[in-house]
Amino acid sequence: MLLRDVNISAAVLLLWVQALHGSALPAVSSYEFTAYRMQQYNLAQQKHGCRGAIVVAEARSADEPSLTRRCVIMKVPDFTTEKYLQAQRQHAAAVLILLPRNISSVPFDTIKNFMRSERDALLKETLMPVYVVPEDEQMLYMYEEVKQAAAMHASSIFIRVLRSMVTATAFQILVSNNAPIKAVTDNAVVTLEGVLPGIGEDAPTIVLTAHYDSFGLVPWLSYGADSNGSGVTILLELARLFQKLYSSPHTRPPFHLMFSLTGGGKYNFLGTKRWIEENLDHAESSLLQDNVAFVLCLDTLANSDELYMHVSRPPKPDTPMQAFIHLLEEVVSSRFPWVKVGLIHKKINLVDSSVAWEHERYSLRKIPGFTLSRLEDPRSELRGSILDTLSQVDLRKLKRNGMIVAEALARYMYNLSDKGSPKDVQVFKGQMEFHDGRLSSLMSVLTSVPRASQLLDREPSHVLLVNSLEYEFKRYLQQVYRHTFQQDKRDPDITFFDQMNQPIVMYRVKPAAFDLFLGGCIAAYLGIVYYAIQNFGDLYTKLKAAVKSKHQ
């Protein structure tokens, strides 16, 4: 009977342990998902991004005091430059960032802070693997668990800390791809070119250009809605509108209008550089070799009530570029007086191997040009982020900025000011204006897949996107050309690296403290059994006396 009571006590002890163990998810469960590695590339002998890919570490919150050999789990508000550098200093095994599926729900200040941290992280290389994964129920559960564990560890209440150590679930993050990271040097850069020929063989040429690729912490999540889906959208709408004017000999202006969509814009405007070289150095005849009035580059125009004209040197009086800039300011002041317009002069640093704006590529070849952007600083974090999604685009401001460019171009090309037209004259109206539905459709297509340069010539959906842009050119422009530039494998301008998306396994396991606690419980059980056996006579006598007194 004594042994039965001892077994009952031991069974209660084991059931309590099992209840504690059952408070978390089963220890043997696992969850596999795809994560996207921080991009890795070499540009102008400078190394950028993360060099590591393999991760075998326990997940921990960024709030933990010790992150050594741990995988640091962060949500968008957690990812700051300070916390990122802290993880590096403490030799964290990896950083895993959870990206919300609905970016529009994230406060704008949080978005800007994250974008700045993205920019800072990509300035230099790191051996610490950095991954980004879209949030889901399992990821959020893991985040909350490690967050609570960090809060418990910081508590001064011993019982709560002990309970957390026993009942909490630990998470093991595993990326076990043993294949080495390889350099990719055979990327192709595609540039599209189309022309609307003006009246007269010696007509000057106006070039409208925008780069179409995107940039961000990870290539597979870089959709580039504002930078530079907005510039591409405005350029395609300008092609549609001016094609109607050029289709009639009565309204065709005395200017050749050249359009170009360039690749590699986020990497020192490599596509623009190659395209200019081909037209100036290798082609027998090209409109760029003749009389170019100016080049207008469109970059990041889908928001804000500010427009800046970036130039390498101030335009001289009585030059086409100076006249166009004056007309653009005139359109803004007469129709959109709340919009701030500014001219920013930035000299090209010939010592620096990189350029800040696309027009600088033309300026280096003595072709006058400027970049129109809503951004004042070329190093702005808004020019490259995985949070630059369609939710950050204001279609009304995108349409307004496009109309400003269209009206200024028309006034210049038709010389409306000298013909006595009123300052508030509107050329594009009714059927001849930007279509809201088409703007929305173009932006949706451009942001349907990531447009990072690493992907555009390799993935079928990305190749299809470039083909769609070429189709848009052929709908409205004459003499459409597609230029494909292959990099020199021996001495590439830019080197990308593979393994940009990786399968990751997350294991739910009990922490090491639970094993110690369970071992203690087993030791206590064995101790009770041993004590009962060694003192059986005394225990039996006491138990018999207790039963006898109860019956009396």
Side-chain angles (χ1 to χ4, degrees):
M1 185 171 179
L2 176 63
L3 289 176
R4 186 186 65 181
D5 292 340
V6 170
N7 286 333
I8 290 174
S9 301
V12 170
L13 179 63
L14 291 177
L15 287 174
W16 180 66
V17 172
Q18 184 178 3
L20 290 176
H21 184 275
S23 63
L25 294 178
V28 296
S29 62
S30 63
Y31 177 59
E32 185 171 342
F33 55 95
T34 299
Y36 304 95
R37 189 167 71 95
M38 176 182 178
Q39 66 170 301
Q40 176 184 355
Y41 65 96
N42 297 342
L43 179 63
Q45 309 304 318
Q46 294 291 324
K47 296 180 178 180
H48 301 267
C50 74
R51 308 276 145 180
I54 297 176
V55 181
V56 182
E58 182 182 337
R60 288 292 179 88
S61 169
D63 298 331
E64 292 275 6
S66 177
L67 303 176
T68 304
R69 296 189 297 276
R70 300 291 190 265
C71 179
V72 185
I73 311 300
M74 300 182 182
K75 293 179 76 171
V76 165
D78 304 326
F79 185 70
T80 63
T81 301
E82 180 182 354
K83 289 186 177 181
Y84 174 74
L85 294 178
Q86 179 185 1
Q88 283 187 318
R89 287 193 298 268
Q90 294 194 20
H91 304 288
V95 169
L96 182 64
I97 304 169
L98 308 186
L99 186 69
R101 294 189 178 274
N102 184 13
I103 304 299
S104 61
S105 63
V106 182
F108 182 68
D109 289 342
T110 300
I111 289 177
K112 288 202 69 174
N113 290 334
F114 182 88
M115 289 178 170
R116 292 191 191 100
S117 302
E118 271 188 282
R119 178 194 61 193
D120 295 342
L122 284 168
L123 286 177
K124 298 180 180 180
E125 66 171 332
T126 177
L127 294 176
M128 178 180 67
V130 179
Y131 285 96
V132 178
V133 58
E135 288 180 355
D136 62 13
E137 184 178 354
Q138 297 286 349
M139 293 291 102
L140 292 175
Y141 173 82
M142 175 185 66
Y143 176 81
E144 293 301 327
E145 283 288 311
V146 298
K147 195 81 171 177
Q148 290 177 13
M152 286 293 186
H153 293 163
S155 174
S156 60
I157 302 176
F158 176 76
I159 299 299
R160 290 177 62 189
V161 174
L162 179 62
R163 183 177 182 275
S164 172
M165 292 173 64
V166 173
T167 62
T169 300
F171 296 87
Q172 192 80 7
I173 306 298
L174 176 64
V175 182
S176 58
N177 188 349
N178 293 322
I181 299 174
K182 295 181 180 179
V184 180
T185 58
D186 60 345
N187 281 78
V189 180
V190 177
T191 293
L192 303 175
E193 168 194 335
V195 177
L196 291 174
I199 296 176
E201 295 182 358
D202 298 328
T205 300
I206 296 174
V207 181
L208 302 179
T209 184
H211 69 87
Y212 59 78
D213 57 326
S214 59
F215 186 82
L217 192 69
V218 293
W220 276 99
L221 297 174
S222 301
Y223 294 92
D226 193 2
S227 182
N228 190 30
S230 61
V232 174
T233 298
I234 289 177
L235 185 140
L236 293 175
E237 270 294 83
L238 291 173
R240 181 183 69 85
L241 293 178
F242 278 93
Q243 185 269 341
K244 295 181 178 181
L245 296 176
Y246 275 76
S247 61
S248 170
H250 301 291
T251 55
R252 183 180 301 173
F255 287 91
H256 300 308
L257 198 53
M258 175 182 283
F259 297 81
S260 71
L261 289 175
T262 59
K266 298 300 185 179
Y267 301 96
N268 210 11
F269 298 98
L270 177 61
T272 305
K273 176 186 175 184
R274 295 289 185 83
W275 183 67
I276 294 173
E277 290 173 350
E278 181 174 274
N279 277 273
L280 295 184
D281 302 333
H282 305 297
E284 293 183 1
S285 64
S286 169
L287 291 178
L288 284 185
Q289 295 174 348
D290 301 327
N291 179 19
V292 177
F294 56 84
V295 178
L296 171 57
C297 307
L298 305 172
D299 193 328
T300 316
L301 291 161
N303 221 319
S304 179
D305 288 326
E306 299 175 344
L307 284 177
Y308 296 99
M309 292 164 283
H310 298 269
V311 297
S312 299
R313 56 176 63 89
K316 296 180 180 180
D318 301 325
T319 59
M321 194 166 78
Q322 192 273 340
F324 174 78
I325 291 176
H326 173 74
L327 291 172
L328 190 142
E329 293 172 337
E330 186 178 271
V331 171
V332 172
S333 62
S334 61
R335 293 189 53 194
F336 310 100
W338 62 89
V339 176
K340 175 187 174 181
V341 178
L343 182 68
I344 298 178
H345 169 219
K346 174 188 169 298
K347 291 183 178 180
I348 300 177
N349 185 0
L350 298 178
V351 178
D352 195 348
S353 58
S354 62
V355 296
W357 297 104
E358 187 172 9
H359 74 267
E360 295 181 8
R361 285 293 179 197
Y362 293 90
S363 298
L364 288 171
R365 299 303 298 265
K366 309 300 182 182
I367 299 175
F370 70 98
T371 297
L372 184 67
S373 175
R374 72 180 182 89
L375 302 177
E376 185 175 4
D377 185 358
R379 298 167 298 178
S380 171
E381 64 277 1
L382 300 175
R383 294 186 73 192
S385 173
I386 57 177
L387 299 189
D388 182 11
T389 61
L390 191 56
S391 63
Q392 305 302 308
V393 169
D394 189 329
L395 289 176
R396 294 173 301 173
K397 294 179 179 179
L398 176 67
K399 177 180 179 179
R400 179 202 65 202
N401 292 338
M403 291 301 297
I404 289 173
V405 175
E407 291 290 344
L409 273 174
R411 293 187 187 195
Y412 175 77
M413 294 164 66
Y414 292 101
N415 199 21
L416 296 183
S417 296
D418 290 347
K419 293 179 179 178
S421 299
K423 290 186 177 182
D424 59 350
V425 62
Q426 188 173 348
V427 177
F428 298 98
K429 55 186 176 181
Q431 294 297 318
M432 287 287 292
E433 70 173 355
F434 279 59
H435 290 171
D436 294 338
R438 180 170 161 81
L439 288 174
S440 177
S441 177
L442 286 172
M443 287 298 301
S444 296
V445 170
L446 287 167
T447 56
S448 61
V449 294
R451 303 190 312 280
S453 297
Q454 298 96 321
L455 309 175
L456 284 169
D457 69 327
R458 297 183 177 276
E459 300 296 326
S461 58
H462 304 79
V463 174
L464 180 61
L465 176 64
V466 178
N467 293 340
S468 299
L469 294 175
E470 184 177 12
Y471 171 75
E472 287 291 322
F473 261 35
K474 290 181 177 179
R475 285 179 65 184
Y476 303 114
L477 305 178
Q478 303 177 29
Q479 305 172 23
V480 175
Y481 302 97
R482 179 182 181 130
H483 307 267
T484 302
F485 307 105
Q486 293 286 347
Q487 289 208 77
D488 185 351
K489 293 184 179 181
R490 295 167 300 178
D491 186 22
D493 295 274
I494 183 169
T495 302
F496 296 118
F497 294 83
D498 61 7
Q499 298 190 29
M500 287 294 100
N501 54 334
Q502 294 278 8
I504 292 185
V505 181
M506 176 182 71
Y507 293 99
R508 297 187 180 104
V509 297
K510 299 304 294 182
F514 179 80
D515 295 334
L516 295 175
F517 181 80
L518 184 59
C521 293
I522 295 173
Y525 166 70
L526 295 176
I528 292 173
V529 172
Y530 178 79
Y531 178 82
I533 294 173
Q534 293 293 321
N535 300 276
F536 179 78
D538 294 339
L539 291 173
Y540 179 76
T541 302
K542 291 179 181 179
L543 183 60
K544 183 177 180 180
V547 172
K548 184 176 180 180
S549 63
K550 182 179 180 181
H551 285 295
Q552 290 178 350

